[in-house]
Amino acid sequence: MRQLRVLVAVGVLTLGAAGTGTAQASPSSPARGCPTAEIFATNNTATITDPADPRLKTRLTRFDHDVRDIIRTHGAKPGASTLLDGVFWSGDLKQATYERSREFDVNRVGPAGLHHIADVIRKEYKQESVLTFRCLPRTSPETDAVEIRADGVNPTRLHDALLADPEVRDRLGGGSVTVGGRLILIAPLADLPLARKFTESLGVDWSKAEIRYGDEEFVG
């Protein structure tokens, strides 16, 4: 996956801890429903700039099966897999690019094992990098990123908002949306204010967003 600064959040949070919306959860535990880790990956190596490109219609079914096998073969437990439509800003092309990808839930895996699995996927599918996100307590010293999930966003809205905000384009790079219209954004903790502003510009009610804390890594 090229620049998967996918997926974003914000400001001075009113949440008591990692959790969903404004629900209060223990700061010593990850968000409910969060797997041990997530891998964001694709088998695409082309630069796609046309949103009507037929390659964006693929469901990556075979890729889904094969990546699950890689996860299992290397000692982890594959969980759910979600099809994503990504919109990313290309600084070289000075325009938005598009990508179909999948998010894979991974359980029973440690940091070293997750890194290794992501690197295997990267090499197998000739990717510049593969993004991983480990769900962690908000207060963990390893927590350096936030993942936001929120309903009611489509790729067109994400595309238009990204193009309208040069700072978001340069610092966050883009985001992804599930085929069901659920935004997924990951941002460094330092970029929370920018991420929240961008998320709300998409029409998202911040109080209803699901917030996950953790450690992100671009393996490549």
Side-chain angles (χ1 to χ4, degrees):
M1 206 163 264
R2 288 181 298 279
Q3 286 229 329
L4 199 52
R5 170 63 61 202
V6 178
L7 331 154
V8 206
V10 141
V12 179
L13 298 178
T14 56
L15 296 172
T20 301
T22 57
Q24 299 294 314
S26 168
S28 63
S29 61
R32 261 194 302 269
C34 197
T36 303
E38 300 163 336
I39 293 175
F40 297 87
T42 184
N43 62 359
N44 175 61
T45 57
T47 299
I48 301 174
T49 58
D50 180 3
D53 192 300
R55 288 172 292 185
L56 298 174
K57 298 299 183 183
T58 177
R59 296 193 62 82
L60 297 176
T61 303
R62 181 67 188 181
F63 177 69
D64 179 21
H65 174 79
D66 291 346
V67 170
R68 287 171 179 272
D69 280 349
I70 291 172
I71 292 170
R72 190 177 297 108
T73 297
H74 291 275
K77 182 179 179 181
S81 169
T82 303
L83 188 64
L84 301 175
D85 288 309
V87 180
F88 309 103
W89 177 252
S90 171
D92 294 335
L93 297 175
K94 302 301 180 184
Q95 67 181 106
T97 63
Y98 302 87
E99 190 166 77
R100 263 283 165 104
S101 63
R102 278 190 174 272
E103 179 269 311
F104 298 88
D105 289 356
V106 186
N107 291 298
R108 298 180 186 173
V109 67
L114 180 65
H115 178 97
H116 176 71
I117 291 169
D119 197 42
V120 169
I121 295 169
R122 180 186 67 83
K123 292 175 180 176
E124 177 69 20
Y125 296 101
K126 298 178 174 59
Q127 299 297 303
E128 291 182 11
S129 65
V130 168
L131 174 64
T132 67
F133 183 85
R134 286 191 299 127
C135 290
L136 296 170
R138 181 180 179 182
T139 55
S140 169
E142 296 179 88
T143 294
D144 61 12
V146 178
E147 176 180 306
I148 290 87
R149 295 177 172 239
D151 294 327
V153 178
N154 60 49
T156 299
R157 182 182 297 178
L158 178 60
H159 168 275
D160 293 348
L162 187 65
L163 262 61
D165 195 325
E167 186 178 16
V168 168
R169 294 196 316 242
D170 293 340
R171 288 175 57 182
L172 302 180
S176 292
V177 179
T178 71
V179 293
R182 188 166 176 78
L183 176 71
I184 302 179
L185 287 165
I186 293 176
L189 285 174
D191 283 329
L192 285 177
L194 176 64
R196 179 172 183 170
K197 179 181 176 183
F198 180 64
T199 302
E200 292 179 327
S201 77
L202 296 169
V204 170
D205 181 345
W206 184 252
S207 69
K208 296 180 179 178
E210 178 186 356
I211 312 298
R212 295 177 175 183
Y213 293 84
D215 170 64
E216 67 166 349
E217 181 185 9
F218 286 90
V219 178

